Amino acid sequence: EVQLLESGGGLVQPGGSLRLSCAASGFTFSSYDMSWVRQAPGKGLQWVSTISGRGGNTHYADSVKGRFTISRDNSMNTLFLQMNSLRDEDTAEFYCAKGHGPGGFGYYMDVWGRGTTVTVSS
Amino acid sequence: EIVLTQSPATLSLSPGERATLSCRASQSVSSYLAWYQQKPGQAPRLLIYESSNRGTGIPARFSGSGSGTDFTLTISSLEPEDFAVYYCQQRSNWPLTFGGGTKVEIK
């Protein structure tokens, strides 16, 4: 069974840092693009970042560019999101998601984790 | 950035009725559009990709259509478990973007 399990969320002060992790199982992790998507309380979905299967290509939303870094360890089947200079508006549920297939299909998300909550507040 | 506008914001229907949801893009996305369903407290689920292809295990009552800037998700006959929020998402250009969502509620 394909599974994704996020961890690392929590309460952090503005300007602080957090590192999210997403442990993957049930599929060949290195063959798929992986993404982070967030959802502020009561709001819609917002794409955050995507990384290619081998990690060589990354993309970011403008709102997080320069503050967040996506990475992956294919030997450990784990996706990461390093979040620095956190702001109040980063408060959200963060989901990791698996790409749907090769090529551009990888930019659709066909398996999602249950999410981890990030709260930025003083 | 490509803006996706979903309408209506809320759709009030009864079980068994047909639901028609719209997603309009601010510029052409070709057929590079997906639809997701999200229920309260749950992660989203991929329903449709590339405008009209159903995801794995998605029932045939869900169908997608459209190309360019105008897209439609149709649920042919609503089941009780279909009452949820639906989002569209484009992969044509970076950044990837989602629409604001349509809530399908029980009338």
Side-chain angles (χ1 to χ4, degrees):
Chain A
E1 181 189 2
V2 176
Q3 285 192 323
L4 299 171
L5 184 62
E6 302 95 336
S7 60
L11 174 64
V12 61
Q13 292 187 337
S17 298
L18 277 178
R19 189 192 198 202
L20 306 184
S21 299
C22 172
S25 60
F27 64 102
T28 305
F29 183 68
S30 60
S31 294
Y32 293 89
D33 298 333
M34 295 293 296
S35 296
W36 289 97
V37 176
R38 67 183 179 183
Q39 187 168 35
K43 302 298 184 182
L45 302 172
Q46 182 187 27
W47 169 76
V48 173
S49 184
T50 297
I51 187 168
S52 60
R54 295 185 178 184
N57 290 309
T58 58
H59 301 273
Y60 296 93
D62 285 347
S63 59
V64 307
K65 200 171 293 183
R67 300 188 299 124
F68 291 11
T69 302
I70 191 171
S71 62
R72 62 194 298 161
D73 183 335
N74 287 343
S75 68
M76 296 187 61
N77 291 345
T78 304
L79 176 71
F80 301 102
L81 187 67
Q82 176 68 43
M83 304 187 295
N84 298 331
S85 303
L86 282 161
R87 306 167 180 167
D88 290 352
E89 56 264 34
D90 295 317
T91 294
E93 191 77 9
F94 280 74
Y95 296 99
C96 77
K98 169 186 165 291
H100 183 50
F105 285 8
Y107 310 142
Y108 300 128
M109 300 132 205
D110 66 356
V111 179
W112 297 62
R114 300 181 75 170
T116 187
T117 304
V118 172
T119 303
V120 184
S121 176
S122 54
Chain B
E1 169 176 321
I2 295 176
V3 176
L4 299 178
T5 302
Q6 292 188 241
S7 62
T10 304
L11 197 52
S12 298
L13 295 168
S14 300
E17 289 194 293
R18 182 183 189 91
T20 303
L21 288 67
S22 174
C23 177
R24 178 163 289 178
S26 59
Q27 65 188 77
S28 177
V29 298
S30 186
S31 295
Y32 303 144
L33 190 108
W35 291 91
Y36 298 84
Q37 176 194 66
Q38 187 179 33
K39 298 178 182 178
Q42 296 186 17
R45 177 172 71 143
L46 177 65
L47 297 176
I48 301 287
Y49 66 96
E50 221 75 332
S51 179
S52 61
N53 296 283
R54 274 190 299 277
T56 304
I58 302 303
R61 63 181 182 273
F62 292 93
S63 63
S65 63
S67 65
T69 61
D70 291 300
F71 298 85
T72 300
L73 173 69
T74 301
I75 310 171
S76 60
S77 178
L78 282 164
E79 297 288 339
E81 61 267 28
D82 299 337
F83 292 91
V85 180
Y86 293 83
Y87 296 95
C88 55
Q89 176 237 324
Q90 65 81 23
R91 71 158 181 97
S92 177
N93 283 13
W94 300 101
L96 305 182
T97 51
F98 288 89
T102 290
K103 182 179 181 180
V104 179
E105 65 175 23
I106 300 176
K107 186 174 181 180

